[in-house]
Amino acid sequence: MTITITAFERSPDGGKGLARDTRVRWALEEVGQSYDVQFVSFAGLKEPAYRAVQPFGQIPAYLEDDLVLFETGSIILHIAESHEGLLPRDAHGRARAITWMFAAIGTVEPPILDLVTVRLLEGKEAWAADRLPLVEARIHARLAELSAYLGDKEWLEDQFTAGDLMMVHVLQRLKPSGLLARHATLAAYVARAEARPAYQRAFAAQLAINAPIGA
């Protein structure tokens, strides 16, 4: 089995681990599966050859022999179902872990992406200053709900799962804004996940590609 994932030739975040290929790298590291990386330029994302594997011209795509996947939720679910380590063995535990994956990308991530939009893409609009507090309020409401569920538990369920992996990577997008730091329970949750050796390897691999030339 040969696995190849695509990643930015030069990531917009400079290798801080926020690009979505980091999620897939992390999942592969957690299950001990080796992989190759095909680096794609911004121009390359628009090429017909790349659109054949990723119709929307995004990062990452996942190629495993004759299997081609896109969207990190589906990729990580495939990895978790194909290898031990990211899903509990009991059926109910697996179902709950998968539910948390959907919650991360379907419930928690959308308002966080709105924050990125209003700050980076809409920041110069006259109404942006009025919209920003509304977006931040929605984020804080979601984080409060997630924090209340997590409580004093180490992970969302009895063990670290693909649900935690996806949730943590979604929450990491808030670190530059400072919003995550206002929720101590979740900030500690993210820090625990970032301390995992598999995450450290994934982060280092992404950073190495984006490190300044000569660094």
Side-chain angles (χ1 to χ4, degrees), residues 161-183:
T161 73
D164 294 296
L165 187 154
M166 189 69 77
M167 187 68 75
V168 166
H169 197 256
V170 165
L171 294 175
Q172 284 176 318
R173 286 185 169 273
L174 286 173
K175 291 175 72 174
S177 70
L179 299 187
L180 181 64
R182 302 183 198 178
H183 298 263

PDB file of all heavy atoms in Angstrom, residues 161-183:
ATOM      1  N   THR A 161      -9.324   9.808  20.221  1.00  0.00           N
ATOM      2  CA  THR A 161      -9.875   9.243  18.997  1.00  0.00           C
ATOM      3  C   THR A 161      -9.735  10.229  17.836  1.00  0.00           C
ATOM      4  O   THR A 161      -9.288  11.369  18.005  1.00  0.00           O
ATOM      5  CB  THR A 161     -11.370   8.901  19.155  1.00  0.00           C
ATOM      6  OG1 THR A 161     -12.122  10.128  19.166  1.00  0.00           O
ATOM      7  CG2 THR A 161     -11.639   8.099  20.419  1.00  0.00           C
ATOM      8  N   ALA A 162     -10.184   9.763  16.674  1.00  0.00           N
ATOM      9  CA  ALA A 162     -10.225  10.644  15.506  1.00  0.00           C
ATOM     10  C   ALA A 162     -11.101  11.855  15.764  1.00  0.00           C
ATOM     11  O   ALA A 162     -10.889  12.925  15.169  1.00  0.00           O
ATOM     12  CB  ALA A 162     -10.740   9.867  14.284  1.00  0.00           C
ATOM     13  N   GLY A 163     -12.084  11.737  16.645  1.00  0.00           N
ATOM     14  CA  GLY A 163     -12.917  12.883  17.002  1.00  0.00           C
ATOM     15  C   GLY A 163     -12.115  13.969  17.685  1.00  0.00           C
ATOM     16  O   GLY A 163     -12.287  15.166  17.411  1.00  0.00           O
ATOM     17  N   ASP A 164     -11.220  13.579  18.592  1.00  0.00           N
ATOM     18  CA  ASP A 164     -10.346  14.560  19.245  1.00  0.00           C
ATOM     19  C   ASP A 164      -9.385  15.172  18.238  1.00  0.00           C
ATOM     20  O   ASP A 164      -9.142  16.396  18.264  1.00  0.00           O
ATOM     21  CB  ASP A 164      -9.539  13.887  20.362  1.00  0.00           C
ATOM     22  CG  ASP A 164     -10.406  13.417  21.509  1.00  0.00           C
ATOM     23  OD1 ASP A 164     -11.019  14.267  22.175  1.00  0.00           O
ATOM     24  OD2 ASP A 164     -10.466  12.197  21.749  1.00  0.00           O
ATOM     25  N   LEU A 165      -8.826  14.354  17.384  1.00  0.00           N
ATOM     26  CA  LEU A 165      -7.876  14.861  16.389  1.00  0.00           C
ATOM     27  C   LEU A 165      -8.514  15.948  15.547  1.00  0.00           C
ATOM     28  O   LEU A 165      -7.944  17.034  15.366  1.00  0.00           O
ATOM     29  CB  LEU A 165      -7.397  13.695  15.524  1.00  0.00           C
ATOM     30  CG  LEU A 165      -6.280  13.963  14.518  1.00  0.00           C
ATOM     31  CD1 LEU A 165      -5.498  12.678  14.234  1.00  0.00           C
ATOM     32  CD2 LEU A 165      -6.811  14.530  13.196  1.00  0.00           C
ATOM     33  N   MET A 166      -9.719  15.677  15.056  1.00  0.00           N
ATOM     34  CA  MET A 166     -10.391  16.656  14.210  1.00  0.00           C
ATOM     35  C   MET A 166     -10.790  17.893  15.009  1.00  0.00           C
ATOM     36  O   MET A 166     -10.617  19.026  14.551  1.00  0.00           O
ATOM     37  CB  MET A 166     -11.628  16.023  13.567  1.00  0.00           C
ATOM     38  CG  MET A 166     -12.278  16.886  12.509  1.00  0.00           C
ATOM     39  SD  MET A 166     -11.276  17.050  11.017  1.00  0.00           S
ATOM     40  CE  MET A 166     -11.576  15.473  10.243  1.00  0.00           C
ATOM     41  N   MET A 167     -11.310  17.675  16.209  1.00  0.00           N
ATOM     42  CA  MET A 167     -11.747  18.808  17.028  1.00  0.00           C
ATOM     43  C   MET A 167     -10.582  19.713  17.392  1.00  0.00           C
ATOM     44  O   MET A 167     -10.682  20.949  17.319  1.00  0.00           O
ATOM     45  CB  MET A 167     -12.444  18.308  18.289  1.00  0.00           C
ATOM     46  CG  MET A 167     -13.075  19.414  19.131  1.00  0.00           C
ATOM     47  SD  MET A 167     -14.498  20.209  18.311  1.00  0.00           S
ATOM     48  CE  MET A 167     -15.745  18.923  18.524  1.00  0.00           C
ATOM     49  N   VAL A 168      -9.475  19.125  17.800  1.00  0.00           N
ATOM     50  CA  VAL A 168      -8.322  19.931  18.188  1.00  0.00           C
ATOM     51  C   VAL A 168      -7.802  20.747  17.014  1.00  0.00           C
ATOM     52  O   VAL A 168      -7.489  21.939  17.160  1.00  0.00           O
ATOM     53  CB  VAL A 168      -7.210  19.033  18.766  1.00  0.00           C
ATOM     54  CG1 VAL A 168      -5.880  19.788  18.859  1.00  0.00           C
ATOM     55  CG2 VAL A 168      -7.608  18.529  20.155  1.00  0.00           C
ATOM     56  N   HIS A 169      -7.734  20.135  15.839  1.00  0.00           N
ATOM     57  CA  HIS A 169      -7.216  20.898  14.715  1.00  0.00           C
ATOM     58  C   HIS A 169      -8.148  22.046  14.337  1.00  0.00           C
ATOM     59  O   HIS A 169      -7.690  23.114  13.922  1.00  0.00           O
ATOM     60  CB  HIS A 169      -6.966  20.008  13.501  1.00  0.00           C
ATOM     61  CG  HIS A 169      -6.079  20.668  12.493  1.00  0.00           C
ATOM     62  ND1 HIS A 169      -6.555  21.206  11.329  1.00  0.00           N
ATOM     63  CD2 HIS A 169      -4.748  20.928  12.503  1.00  0.00           C
ATOM     64  CE1 HIS A 169      -5.560  21.757  10.655  1.00  0.00           C
ATOM     65  NE2 HIS A 169      -4.457  21.601  11.340  1.00  0.00           N
ATOM     66  N   VAL A 170      -9.436  21.856  14.504  1.00  0.00           N
ATOM     67  CA  VAL A 170     -10.384  22.949  14.288  1.00  0.00           C
ATOM     68  C   VAL A 170     -10.140  24.066  15.312  1.00  0.00           C
ATOM     69  O   VAL A 170     -10.088  25.246  14.958  1.00  0.00           O
ATOM     70  CB  VAL A 170     -11.830  22.423  14.389  1.00  0.00           C
ATOM     71  CG1 VAL A 170     -12.822  23.573  14.531  1.00  0.00           C
ATOM     72  CG2 VAL A 170     -12.177  21.593  13.155  1.00  0.00           C
ATOM     73  N   LEU A 171      -9.973  23.704  16.574  1.00  0.00           N
ATOM     74  CA  LEU A 171      -9.774  24.701  17.621  1.00  0.00           C
ATOM     75  C   LEU A 171      -8.462  25.461  17.457  1.00  0.00           C
ATOM     76  O   LEU A 171      -8.360  26.639  17.833  1.00  0.00           O
ATOM     77  CB  LEU A 171      -9.804  24.030  19.001  1.00  0.00           C
ATOM     78  CG  LEU A 171     -11.143  23.423  19.426  1.00  0.00           C
ATOM     79  CD1 LEU A 171     -10.980  22.686  20.752  1.00  0.00           C
ATOM     80  CD2 LEU A 171     -12.220  24.501  19.555  1.00  0.00           C
ATOM     81  N   GLN A 172      -7.458  24.807  16.908  1.00  0.00           N
ATOM     82  CA  GLN A 172      -6.164  25.464  16.728  1.00  0.00           C
ATOM     83  C   GLN A 172      -6.270  26.716  15.864  1.00  0.00           C
ATOM     84  O   GLN A 172      -5.456  27.632  15.998  1.00  0.00           O
ATOM     85  CB  GLN A 172      -5.163  24.493  16.112  1.00  0.00           C
ATOM     86  CG  GLN A 172      -4.632  23.456  17.094  1.00  0.00           C
ATOM     87  CD  GLN A 172      -3.725  22.458  16.412  1.00  0.00           C
ATOM     88  OE1 GLN A 172      -4.013  21.991  15.309  1.00  0.00           O
ATOM     89  NE2 GLN A 172      -2.627  22.120  17.047  1.00  0.00           N
ATOM     90  N   ARG A 173      -7.248  26.761  15.003  1.00  0.00           N
ATOM     91  CA  ARG A 173      -7.411  27.933  14.143  1.00  0.00           C
ATOM     92  C   ARG A 173      -7.720  29.201  14.947  1.00  0.00           C
ATOM     93  O   ARG A 173      -7.571  30.314  14.443  1.00  0.00           O
ATOM     94  CB  ARG A 173      -8.529  27.695  13.121  1.00  0.00           C
ATOM     95  CG  ARG A 173      -8.146  26.744  12.014  1.00  0.00           C
ATOM     96  CD  ARG A 173      -9.235  26.630  10.969  1.00  0.00           C
ATOM     97  NE  ARG A 173      -8.753  25.926   9.794  1.00  0.00           N
ATOM     98  CZ  ARG A 173      -8.127  26.510   8.776  1.00  0.00           C
ATOM     99  NH1 ARG A 173      -7.938  27.813   8.780  1.00  0.00           N
ATOM    100  NH2 ARG A 173      -7.708  25.798   7.750  1.00  0.00           N
ATOM    101  N   LEU A 174      -8.150  29.011  16.190  1.00  0.00           N
ATOM    102  CA  LEU A 174      -8.486  30.168  17.021  1.00  0.00           C
ATOM    103  C   LEU A 174      -7.290  30.728  17.777  1.00  0.00           C
ATOM    104  O   LEU A 174      -7.381  31.824  18.342  1.00  0.00           O
ATOM    105  CB  LEU A 174      -9.571  29.775  18.038  1.00  0.00           C
ATOM    106  CG  LEU A 174     -10.975  29.596  17.485  1.00  0.00           C
ATOM    107  CD1 LEU A 174     -11.888  29.035  18.565  1.00  0.00           C
ATOM    108  CD2 LEU A 174     -11.515  30.911  16.953  1.00  0.00           C
ATOM    109  N   LYS A 175      -6.200  30.010  17.828  1.00  0.00           N
ATOM    110  CA  LYS A 175      -5.073  30.453  18.646  1.00  0.00           C
ATOM    111  C   LYS A 175      -4.539  31.829  18.234  1.00  0.00           C
ATOM    112  O   LYS A 175      -4.284  32.670  19.097  1.00  0.00           O
ATOM    113  CB  LYS A 175      -3.971  29.400  18.622  1.00  0.00           C
ATOM    114  CG  LYS A 175      -4.364  28.114  19.353  1.00  0.00           C
ATOM    115  CD  LYS A 175      -3.323  27.028  19.220  1.00  0.00           C
ATOM    116  CE  LYS A 175      -2.088  27.316  20.032  1.00  0.00           C
ATOM    117  NZ  LYS A 175      -1.140  26.175  19.992  1.00  0.00           N
ATOM    118  N   PRO A 176      -4.382  32.118  16.938  1.00  0.00           N
ATOM    119  CA  PRO A 176      -3.878  33.447  16.577  1.00  0.00           C
ATOM    120  C   PRO A 176      -4.791  34.592  17.016  1.00  0.00           C
ATOM    121  O   PRO A 176      -4.320  35.702  17.280  1.00  0.00           O
ATOM    122  CB  PRO A 176      -3.773  33.387  15.047  1.00  0.00           C
ATOM    123  CG  PRO A 176      -3.641  31.925  14.738  1.00  0.00           C
ATOM    124  CD  PRO A 176      -4.491  31.239  15.753  1.00  0.00           C
ATOM    125  N   SER A 177      -6.085  34.334  17.118  1.00  0.00           N
ATOM    126  CA  SER A 177      -7.036  35.388  17.496  1.00  0.00           C
ATOM    127  C   SER A 177      -7.077  35.642  18.991  1.00  0.00           C
ATOM    128  O   SER A 177      -7.594  36.673  19.439  1.00  0.00           O
ATOM    129  CB  SER A 177      -8.451  35.003  17.032  1.00  0.00           C
ATOM    130  OG  SER A 177      -8.942  33.910  17.810  1.00  0.00           O
ATOM    131  N   GLY A 178      -6.578  34.694  19.776  1.00  0.00           N
ATOM    132  CA  GLY A 178      -6.633  34.823  21.222  1.00  0.00           C
ATOM    133  C   GLY A 178      -7.937  34.351  21.838  1.00  0.00           C
ATOM    134  O   GLY A 178      -8.071  34.321  23.065  1.00  0.00           O
ATOM    135  N   LEU A 179      -8.903  33.962  21.009  1.00  0.00           N
ATOM    136  CA  LEU A 179     -10.209  33.560  21.541  1.00  0.00           C
ATOM    137  C   LEU A 179     -10.136  32.242  22.304  1.00  0.00           C
ATOM    138  O   LEU A 179     -10.844  32.057  23.297  1.00  0.00           O
ATOM    139  CB  LEU A 179     -11.233  33.440  20.412  1.00  0.00           C
ATOM    140  CG  LEU A 179     -11.536  34.710  19.605  1.00  0.00           C
ATOM    141  CD1 LEU A 179     -12.696  34.457  18.655  1.00  0.00           C
ATOM    142  CD2 LEU A 179     -11.852  35.876  20.530  1.00  0.00           C
ATOM    143  N   LEU A 180      -9.294  31.328  21.863  1.00  0.00           N
ATOM    144  CA  LEU A 180      -9.195  30.039  22.539  1.00  0.00           C
ATOM    145  C   LEU A 180      -8.694  30.201  23.968  1.00  0.00           C
ATOM    146  O   LEU A 180      -9.144  29.488  24.870  1.00  0.00           O
ATOM    147  CB  LEU A 180      -8.264  29.104  21.761  1.00  0.00           C
ATOM    148  CG  LEU A 180      -8.090  27.706  22.343  1.00  0.00           C
ATOM    149  CD1 LEU A 180      -9.409  26.934  22.321  1.00  0.00           C
ATOM    150  CD2 LEU A 180      -7.007  26.932  21.581  1.00  0.00           C
ATOM    151  N   ALA A 181      -7.791  31.129  24.176  1.00  0.00           N
ATOM    152  CA  ALA A 181      -7.192  31.318  25.502  1.00  0.00           C
ATOM    153  C   ALA A 181      -8.230  31.710  26.554  1.00  0.00           C
ATOM    154  O   ALA A 181      -7.991  31.548  27.751  1.00  0.00           O
ATOM    155  CB  ALA A 181      -6.091  32.368  25.422  1.00  0.00           C
ATOM    156  N   ARG A 182      -9.385  32.216  26.119  1.00  0.00           N
ATOM    157  CA  ARG A 182     -10.423  32.611  27.071  1.00  0.00           C
ATOM    158  C   ARG A 182     -11.206  31.408  27.601  1.00  0.00           C
ATOM    159  O   ARG A 182     -12.055  31.556  28.484  1.00  0.00           O
ATOM    160  CB  ARG A 182     -11.381  33.606  26.417  1.00  0.00           C
ATOM    161  CG  ARG A 182     -10.691  34.867  25.904  1.00  0.00           C
ATOM    162  CD  ARG A 182     -11.716  35.840  25.344  1.00  0.00           C
ATOM    163  NE  ARG A 182     -11.103  36.837  24.484  1.00  0.00           N
ATOM    164  CZ  ARG A 182     -11.779  37.773  23.832  1.00  0.00           C
ATOM    165  NH1 ARG A 182     -13.112  37.818  23.939  1.00  0.00           N
ATOM    166  NH2 ARG A 182     -11.157  38.644  23.064  1.00  0.00           N
ATOM    167  N   HIS A 183     -10.938  30.244  27.046  1.00  0.00           N
ATOM    168  CA  HIS A 183     -11.609  29.020  27.474  1.00  0.00           C
ATOM    169  C   HIS A 183     -10.527  28.057  27.964  1.00  0.00           C
ATOM    170  O   HIS A 183      -9.991  27.249  27.194  1.00  0.00           O
ATOM    171  CB  HIS A 183     -12.417  28.424  26.318  1.00  0.00           C
ATOM    172  CG  HIS A 183     -13.495  29.326  25.825  1.00  0.00           C
ATOM    173  ND1 HIS A 183     -14.807  29.227  26.239  1.00  0.00           N
ATOM    174  CD2 HIS A 183     -13.450  30.381  24.958  1.00  0.00           C
ATOM    175  CE1 HIS A 183     -15.535  30.160  25.646  1.00  0.00           C
ATOM    176  NE2 HIS A 183     -14.731  30.874  24.862  1.00  0.00           N
TER     177      HIS A 183
END
